[in-house]
Amino acid sequence: MTITDSATTSLSDRWRDAPTPHTSAGWIARAREVADILAVDAVERDRANREPRAEVDLLKSSGLVTLLGPREHGGAGETWDTAYKVIRAVARGDGSIGQLLGYHYLWGWAARLVATDEQIAAVEELYTSNSFLFGGAVNPRDSDLVIREEGDELVFSGRKSFSTGGRVSDLTVLEGVLEGTDTHIFAIVPTAQEGIVFAGDWDNLGQRLTESGSVEIRDVRVPWSAAAGFVDKQFRPLVYNTLNVPAIQLVFANFYLGIAEGALDTASAYTRDRTRPWPYGGDDKERATDEWYLLEGYGILQSKLWADGALLDAAGAEISEVLHAPREELTARRRGEIAVRIAAGKLRIVDDGLEVASKIYELTGARATSNAVGLDIFWRNLRTHSLHDPIAYKKREVGEYVLLNQVPVPTWYT
């Protein structure tokens, strides 16, 4: 059965009578169940390039959408340390859906990053009690949305070339600049409204089911009271506000690792079942799994992914600690050190993940290039999103820390 046919409801209802996980390990196991479902027809769904509505239903019914939501509103009340591992587990089955979930977690936390206590409580109750999925029309490389002030309302207008989550989201995070100022304002609005118009033009090489196409924002009205973090039209900045970038960079790194792990899982299963030994080497083997170069190859690739996982887990524990600590406690130096660790993890998994996604062809054989096998999905997914921002700059950030004891200055990408 696949998640695109009449079995959708039964697949989504599989946890109806199951006990809700109460531990980090239990939630990671739940994410692996979701990944197993997604992996069955990931290639077919990628080829079809349809809106991932059934996939989002699966995330909601499994409880993963409210993993970080408060327990009093039906959420799991889990930590970011767990969330990063859940993202990785889901991406192992489908990189696109791992990205959707990871972006959702970040945008769901956006209120905590910049909003007032009252705004945080309202947003978290809203999305948790309704199992809403977040999308975001925030792309720093585009011109900012323009915000007009009309009495007690803010009016957002403009265009963004990327809006991950797009038409499958319930809530959209908007960001723009107040007209005539340099004041940036975030607001969370319902996605289903006339002023948010998606072009449906996402047709990229990889991550095809992330609904990341362009969007027009046409006079979307928001009360001043919903401007995140503003009190009497004034914003009080904290270092904590800038954690959005390292937090989402680690989201990236974890779904990259999940994609690479999925590639190695799929390739090794193919080698065990279908790859033939090479009969012209002078030391002929009965099975491909006896071939020394295959054993060596898989050993090298797995070792790299294990090392990457350890680095990302350490970075995840570090940033999780400060994300869940009082916001006023975070210093610029501590924030910068964490950003450097995450940059190091990201640059390693990009290099190692792309190597895995390419090298698996040498370990599976010529017949594995068949479109029916679908090994290409892993390279396409990882190659597409790893171009989000130049990895060379992450290498420089780590180098500046090592040689000059400098930490990155917060920007939209550092």
Side-chain angles (χ1 to χ4, degrees):
M1 290 184 177
T2 72
I3 67 170
T4 55
D5 60 21
S6 59
T8 299
T9 301
S10 62
L11 288 171
S12 296
D13 285 351
R14 64 182 294 166
W15 298 286
R16 183 184 298 276
D17 298 319
T20 301
H22 293 290
T23 64
S24 174
W27 281 109
I28 295 167
R30 175 69 58 86
R32 288 174 180 152
E33 291 181 59
V34 171
D36 288 343
I37 295 170
L38 293 169
V40 170
D41 62 345
V43 174
E44 291 84 355
R45 290 182 293 103
D46 172 87
R47 303 277 197 259
N49 196 23
R50 288 190 290 266
E51 294 175 25
R53 295 195 178 276
E55 293 88 335
V56 169
D57 287 344
L58 196 63
L59 294 178
K60 291 180 177 183
S61 65
S62 68
L64 296 182
V65 163
T66 55
L67 182 79
L68 292 173
R71 288 193 177 97
E72 60 264 32
H73 301 307
E78 274 293 340
T79 66
W80 267 97
D81 188 38
T82 301
Y84 284 123
K85 293 169 184 173
V86 163
I87 293 163
R88 185 191 311 172
V90 171
R92 197 166 184 157
D94 188 321
S96 288
I97 309 308
Q99 180 185 336
L100 274 180
L101 184 62
Y103 276 48
H104 160 77
Y105 287 152
L106 189 282
W107 293 129
W109 201 261
R112 284 189 179 252
L113 288 169
V114 297
T116 66
D117 290 343
E118 293 79 8
Q119 290 169 335
I120 292 169
V123 168
E124 293 191 339
E125 180 178 4
L126 173 67
Y127 98 79
T128 306
S129 60
N130 292 286
S131 291
F132 281 164
L133 184 82
F134 280 92
V138 180
N139 175 23
R141 296 295 302 279
D142 287 339
S143 298
D144 290 296
L145 299 181
V146 175
I147 306 172
R148 303 191 314 274
E149 184 178 12
E150 296 186 359
D152 291 331
E153 286 188 320
L154 299 171
V155 185
F156 288 74
S157 296
R159 181 184 183 277
K160 289 293 184 179
S161 54
F162 300 108
S163 182
T164 294
R167 292 171 295 188
V168 296
S169 67
D170 302 294
L171 300 169
T172 295
V173 178
L174 300 180
E175 182 276 333
V177 173
L178 189 62
E179 195 171 33
T181 75
D182 58 359
T183 301
H184 290 260
I185 300 176
F186 283 87
I188 295 169
V189 300
T191 301
Q193 57 178 294
E194 290 184 359
I196 298 180
V197 182
F198 296 102
D201 54 359
W202 181 247
D203 188 22
N204 282 39
L205 179 72
Q207 295 298 87
R208 289 167 59 80
L209 299 188
T210 59
E211 265 295 305
S212 294
S214 64
V215 62
E216 291 280 348
I217 306 300
R218 302 174 180 174
D219 294 338
V220 172
R221 293 180 175 271
V222 176
W224 250 115
S225 60
F230 283 78
V231 177
D232 297 327
K233 301 185 181 181
Q234 295 294 318
F235 184 77
R236 297 176 176 84
L238 294 169
V239 173
Y240 188 95
N241 306 150
T242 69
L243 282 175
N244 60 317
V245 175
I248 201 166
Q249 288 282 323
L250 193 54
V251 166
F252 299 167
N254 273 283
F255 70 74
Y256 295 168
L257 178 55
I259 291 168
E261 290 175 339
L264 203 59
D265 285 348
T266 304
S268 60
Y270 184 96
T271 293
R272 285 190 294 270
D273 297 339
R274 299 171 66 178
T275 300
R276 298 184 297 178
W278 187 248
Y280 304 111
D283 57 347
D284 298 351
K285 304 295 192 298
E286 291 185 9
R287 299 179 302 274
T289 51
D290 295 328
E291 285 280 12
W292 66 269
Y293 79 94
L294 296 180
L295 297 171
E296 177 188 60
Y298 279 110
I300 291 171
L301 297 182
Q302 182 63 81
S303 296
K304 290 183 177 184
L305 295 189
W306 278 338
D308 294 337
L311 179 55
L312 296 185
D313 284 347
E318 282 194 75
I319 195 170
S320 184
E321 181 181 351
V322 300
L323 281 167
H324 293 278
R327 296 191 292 183
E328 297 77 14
E329 293 182 358
L330 182 63
T331 65
R333 179 69 186 186
R334 180 67 177 136
R335 185 263 186 207
E337 289 173 344
I338 291 171
V340 168
R341 303 278 197 280
I342 292 170
K346 182 186 176 186
L347 69 89
R348 283 276 22 103
I349 185 52
V350 169
D351 285 354
D352 293 340
L354 289 173
E355 180 185 0
V356 168
S358 177
K359 191 79 173 180
I360 54 175
Y361 284 102
E362 297 177 27
L363 304 179
T364 50
R367 286 175 171 79
T369 62
S370 167
N371 284 327
V373 177
L375 289 181
D376 62 298
I377 192 175
F378 303 106
W379 184 88
R380 289 189 291 105
N381 283 345
L382 187 49
R383 179 68 286 175
T384 295
H385 198 281
S386 60
L387 298 173
H388 177 277
D389 53 286
I391 200 69
Y393 282 88
K394 294 302 170 195
K395 295 176 181 178
R396 186 179 75 173
E397 289 170 27
V398 178
E400 287 176 336
Y401 179 76
V402 172
L403 290 179
L404 306 174
N405 196 31
Q406 293 179 359
V407 296
V409 175
T411 71
W412 284 108
Y413 285 95
T414 59

